[in-house]
Amino acid sequence: SPALLGELALDEVLRQLRGFLQRRLGGLPRAQLGSGSGRRAFRLLDELQRIQGAIDAGANPNRQLLLDSLMSQFQREMVGDTIDQ
C-alpha cells in the first residue's frame, strides 16, 4: 500500500516494486508477455531501473514527488490489466 511504502527507504521501495513486477511477469503465460499487460509491466520495470540507475549515479530525487509519481504510474498502468483480463 502507498502508506506502507512511504515508511520504507527509497531503495527498498524500488526493490519492492521491481519484485512485484518481476513476479507478475513471471506468472504470465509466454504468449501474454507481448500483450498489453506484459508491455505495461515491462514499461514500469524499465522506468524503475532507469530511476535506480540515476540514483546510483548520484541523483537525489525528491522522495515524496518520486513516490507520488510512481504510484500514479502504477495505478494508471495496472488499471489496464483489470480491463484486459
Side-chain angles (χ1 to χ4, degrees):
S1 89
L4 294 176
L5 291 177
E7 298 173 11
L8 298 174
L10 190 53
D11 282 345
E12 181 62 17
V13 171
L14 295 174
R15 189 184 72 72
Q16 292 280 333
L17 293 174
R18 278 192 313 270
F20 168 78
L21 289 170
Q22 289 167 342
R23 286 187 304 278
R24 186 149 184 119
L25 286 165
L28 287 177
R30 177 175 245 144
Q32 286 187 342
L33 290 175
S35 71
S37 177
R39 284 192 310 270
R40 283 190 294 275
F42 279 118
R43 197 169 31 244
L44 286 168
L45 192 56
D46 286 346
E47 177 68 5
L48 291 172
Q49 291 171 330
R50 186 191 65 75
I51 291 167
Q52 186 64 59
I55 291 170
D56 291 347
N60 187 17
N62 178 298
R63 185 180 192 287
Q64 191 58 51
L65 287 176
L66 180 57
L67 287 178
D68 290 347
S69 174
L70 286 172
M71 290 302 100
S72 175
Q73 287 178 33
F74 265 77
Q75 288 175 336
R76 189 173 50 249
E77 297 291 348
M78 292 298 133
V79 165
D81 276 356
T82 59
I83 293 170
D84 282 352
Q85 297 177 7

